[in-house]
Amino acid sequence: MPATSITSLRAAPCELIIDTDPGADDLVALLLAMASPDELSIRAITTVAGNVHLAKTSRNARLACEWGGREDIPVYAGAARPLVRAPVHAAELHGEEGLSGVTVHEPAKPLSQGNAVQYLIDTLGAAEPHSITLAMLGPQTNLALALIQRPEIAKGIKDVVVMGGAHFNGGNITPTAEFNIYADPHAAEVVLASGVRLTYLSLDLTHTLLTSDARLRQLAAIHNRASQVVVDILNAYIKHDMDVYGMPGGPVHDASVIAYLVKPELFSGRRVHLVVDSREGATFGQTIADWYGVLKRPANVMWVSQGDAQGLFDLLSERLARLR
Ligand code: BDR
Ligand code: CA
């Protein structure tokens, strides 16, 4: 069974909430989303502890609004720790401040009043059926907490597009697990069990969508603040993965989720049955995708397996050029 290509017939911009733990690649994703208002109407950004502590991910999300010229987007802080497991962070990859390669400051834009989990409950609860898409760029703790408290809010959700998981080529935080799922596998299980429509962009995909010198030059040639921020962040961020995996460039994981929402025709995948392993042990946080359908269980996610790398960087360049 070949992977199927993904197309969209878009009438109006996608109503979007971005749940995120910025994070170097999250920051790139946020700028790409902010630069794509024809396709994405960003209702809010909700933050979660992940790559670094919540206070820093929340500050970095507000910095993204400043750098993207979108201080009108509300930012709500959410869960400061995972549902069950001990907190785990990735400062060695993203820097102590969560944004390698750039100098951070306290943005003028404040956090919005109220908690991200309550925001999700209120917004999804009041939404038209299947009207709101969530881009999940970090551990899925906020959405899981909302679904645990009010399971019926699932009906307001159109699609949950997750950066997370790894199947064919192993993990990036353990040999079997990808960071976002490992950082809160119980939350990923709650979301999976809720019955919402789910799309997964895993390391299988993001480790094929790599920077190169030419692609970084392409971004640098835009010569605006947003592109400079992205180039500075990426130059610092990609080193670790290039060293560890021996790859010719670095992945920009979370930006793939936004590219998928803006231009799904760049991607292809297959609907599969997915299981998340939350048992203690060597496979804690692993995602098992039944790619060949051997279990004959109903598919519960779209597993996006292939993408057009140059198409992604062309999209990023074209969109960043629209910012200041
Ligand atoms: C994911 O983990 C985080 O470190 C990145 O921001 C991305 O969301 C990649 O495994
Ligand atoms: Ca992230």
Side-chain angles (χ1 to χ4, degrees), residues 21 25-26 51 94 137 163 172 178-180 203 253-254:
D21 62 336
D25 56 324
D26 301 75
N51 286 319
H94 296 263
L137 310 183
M163 192 285 126
N172 59 358
E178 180 279 330
F179 176 81
N180 287 341
L203 297 183
H253 310 282
D254 295 337

Side-chain angles (χ1 to χ4, degrees), residues 84-86 182 185-186 277-286:
V84 178
R85 63 153 302 145
Y182 179 81
H186 305 95
D277 191 350
S278 62
R279 297 167 304 173
E280 290 298 332
T283 56
F284 182 76
Q286 184 176 8

Side-chain angles (χ1 to χ4, degrees), residues 18 20-36 40 42 51 60-61 63-65 67-68 94 98-100 102 137 209 211 216 219 226-238 250-259 262 312-313 315-317 319-320 323:
I18 305 178
T20 179
D21 62 336
D25 56 324
D26 301 75
L27 204 294
V28 180
L30 289 167
L31 291 178
L32 176 58
M34 290 173 194
S36 304
L40 306 177
I42 306 172
N51 286 319
N60 294 346
L63 277 173
C65 294
W67 291 331
H94 296 263
L99 287 182
S100 47
V102 290
L137 310 183
L209 307 177
T211 62
L216 290 169
L219 293 169
S227 67
Q228 193 57 56
V229 164
V230 166
V231 169
D232 289 346
I233 286 175
L234 289 181
N235 273 327
Y237 176 62
I238 61 178
V252 196
H253 310 282
D254 295 337
S256 313
V257 167
I258 304 301
V262 171
L312 181 141
F313 283 92
L315 178 69
L316 183 59
S317 308
R319 296 306 162 98
L320 290 181
L323 298 178

Side-chain angles (χ1 to χ4, degrees), residues 238-254:
I238 61 178
K239 286 195 189 102
H240 176 274
D241 280 1
M242 289 172 70
D243 285 353
V244 171
Y245 302 105
M247 296 188 298
V252 196
H253 310 282
D254 295 337

Side-chain angles (χ1 to χ4, degrees), residues 134-146:
L134 287 110
M136 304 300 293
L137 310 183
Q140 296 173 45
T141 321
N142 288 335
L143 181 56
L145 285 167

Side-chain angles (χ1 to χ4, degrees), residues 119-192:
Y119 170 79
L120 291 173
I121 289 173
D122 293 344
T123 306
L124 297 172
E128 293 291 315
H130 311 297
S131 61
I132 298 194
T133 297
L134 287 110
M136 304 300 293
L137 310 183
Q140 296 173 45
T141 321
N142 288 335
L143 181 56
L145 285 167
L147 286 165
I148 289 166
Q149 290 178 58
R150 290 273 305 278
E152 68 275 16
I153 63 171
K155 76 170 184 319
I157 296 176
K158 181 177 177 199
D159 200 358
V160 177
V161 186
V162 171
M163 192 285 126
H167 181 69
F168 284 109
N169 297 314
N172 59 358
I173 184 81
T174 75
T176 57
E178 180 279 330
F179 176 81
N180 287 341
I181 305 299
Y182 179 81
D184 200 342
H186 305 95
E189 279 185 315
V190 169
V191 175
L192 198 51

